[in-house]
Amino acid sequence: MKKIIALSALLAFNSLSAHAEDLKQYTDESRAAAMPLLQKLAAANKQAVSDGGPESAIGACKLIAPQMAGDLSRQTGWKVSRVSLKVRNPLLGTPDAWEQAQLLSFDARAAQGEKPETLEAAEIVQEPAGRSFRYMKAIVAQPGCLACHGEQLSAGVVASLQADYPHDKATGYRAGQVRGALSIKRALP
């Protein structure tokens, strides 16, 4: 009986150790994919603003961001998306229950003084469709984001948002606030 208990304890320890190693590996891989995507998106938006003002960035973001996430999803086999509690495009940015909980946690952590740019979450979860690795990296409202996501918007931006995003809720932010997150979902064996 003691051998069975010892063997069970050893197996449980090895399982936890393997789980922690998997979690670290998946997190590192997700970070390596997420950061370049966020940097490319920021550069594309900055270029669009430079070329045609904030109204131009709205149109570019509408096309570029989903395309970038889709390209990364196809390259990796993961589901990559941007989500927010204040959604601009409800068809593409509405968080599921896990994502919503992480976004609320990001807001609470930021309110307690954690730097928003460091906020991320990673977890291996059991879902109805099977085990998945879930990762989220906070997207922080930068000063340049405020022309389209801030508290004070120009009439041109308001008109563009109404035309491109009739159900937009993604405004009212201040620089440094968590605006949303990049989310990665990866099915596991």
Side-chain angles (χ1 to χ4, degrees):
M1 183 65 159
K2 288 181 183 180
K3 288 181 181 180
I4 292 173
I5 293 172
L7 182 59
S8 294
L10 181 60
L11 289 173
F13 176 76
N14 286 340
S15 176
L16 287 175
S17 178
H19 178 82
E21 288 175 21
D22 288 346
L23 185 62
K24 182 183 179 339
Q25 175 189 338
Y26 300 149
T27 301
D28 290 345
E29 291 169 353
S30 295
R31 273 189 205 122
M35 295 313 295
L37 184 138
L38 292 173
Q39 291 166 350
K40 285 181 198 174
L41 182 57
N45 280 334
K46 187 175 183 178
Q47 185 64 50
V49 169
S50 176
D51 291 346
E55 296 86 354
S56 177
I58 292 168
C61 195
K62 181 178 181 180
L63 300 173
I64 292 170
Q67 180 182 354
M68 286 180 176
D71 289 347
L72 184 56
S73 293
R74 284 185 291 283
Q75 289 168 7
T76 61
W78 309 337
K79 180 184 177 222
V80 180
S81 60
R82 292 178 313 148
V83 296
S84 179
L85 295 173
K86 292 169 58 174
V87 179
R88 178 144 286 170
N89 181 346
L91 297 175
L92 298 177
T94 301
D96 65 21
W98 187 88
E99 292 164 330
Q100 188 174 23
Q102 300 316 310
L103 288 164
L104 290 168
S105 172
F106 288 172
D107 285 344
R109 290 164 56 190
Q112 293 175 353
E114 208 169 323
K115 292 182 179 184
E117 58 275 3
T118 67
L119 297 172
E120 67 179 352
E123 184 177 6
I124 295 174
V125 298
Q126 183 65 43
E127 300 177 312
R131 280 181 358 120
S132 295
F133 169 74
R134 305 295 306 261
Y135 174 83
M136 284 179 55
K137 171 71 178 153
I139 298 172
V140 180
Q142 301 298 321
C145 302
L146 301 182
C148 300
H149 290 283
E151 297 173 311
Q152 302 293 319
L153 306 176
S154 72
V157 167
V158 170
S160 291
L161 288 174
Q162 288 174 346
D164 285 339
Y165 298 105
H167 304 289
D168 180 39
K169 303 277 189 243
T171 59
Y173 290 100
R174 294 182 311 278
Q177 286 185 303
V178 175
R179 191 176 57 74
L182 182 75
S183 178
I184 295 175
K185 182 176 180 179
R186 178 177 177 175
L188 298 178

